[in-house]
Amino acid sequence: PLTKGTCAVHARACTHFAPSGLRRALPGFPRRKYRRHTSHTPSWVACAWGDPVDFHAASIASSSECAKGLTEVEVDAPTDIVDGFCASGQYVQMKVNPEDEKVAYLAIASAPASSPLKFVIKPGDNTAGEICALNAGDSVQISAAMGKGFQPEETAKAAKDLIFVCTGTGAAPVASLIDSSLPSKPYGVSGKVTVYFGAASPEAMPFVDRFESWKANGIDVVCAFSQADSGTAPAGASRALWSSRVQAALGEDEENVDMSPGATAVVLCGQREMSDDVKAQWSAWGGADDVFLSNF
């Protein structure tokens, strides 16, 4: 059976892979060919340096649209798989059939070790789209949780304030971390926690039903909508920026950010361009480059 130890082995084998969405967004990100092995069941798919990934049978618990262009999929997975999910920011490989060679890399949106496993997926003409098209009761193949979650964790635990910057499906592991921490703040920080959350429009933003709960527990949400020029901020959000990218929202808040050494940690989860822009802005403010956490 899988344990946290074996989970770590799988993580080391595949830590250079990013979750769905992130992986597609990273130009130059390594793309490997998968080799199918048919000598035994469950099926194996080669990952990284030839190390195999064990797939297990699971089933769709539910599938529904959670925001414009996004689908929330819940998966009933074996207990060993659920228990092996030990840190927010981890992800799985998933495919529909044992013989399929192409897989989807999906960040887990639910709290660690909770069932069913939840995912927010942007469907397309790919494996992710095939998964979104399934109905409750349909079978899927799922790997153990991979990666080490948001790292370096020690950076956040030592900070007073915490900032999240995320976009689209990149909010899935952020929601996992926040929800699993409530009523405390993530990493036990004592100061401000601010989530800068970007999406095309309010209709395309997932997790808006969590914002009021987050606010009640001292977590501030700032929304940025890149393709909407006006509207109403989601309930629970402190404010919204229109026709603006999420990195610009953070850029407007310099005076509210404690730039003292070690005071603020920044968790990045989204496209590479966003992460690079945030790091450049932080550097322009005179901030250190060792404050960032990511899950890839």
Side-chain angles (χ1 to χ4, degrees), residues 13-29:
C14 299
T15 49
H16 72 295
F17 283 109
S20 175
L22 298 181
R23 184 170 180 261
R24 291 193 302 272
L26 299 179
F29 203 95

Side-chain angles (χ1 to χ4, degrees), residues 56 73 86 150-151:
H56 302 259
V73 175
C86 48
F150 292 112
Q151 295 294 327

Side-chain angles (χ1 to χ4, degrees), residues 20 30 34-35 48 81 99 117 167 172 219 225 235 237 241 279 289:
S20 175
Y34 304 95
R35 295 185 290 110
I81 299 295
E99 65 272 15
L117 297 177
T167 56
I219 297 171
F225 301 110
L241 283 74
K279 290 178 179 180
D289 60 3

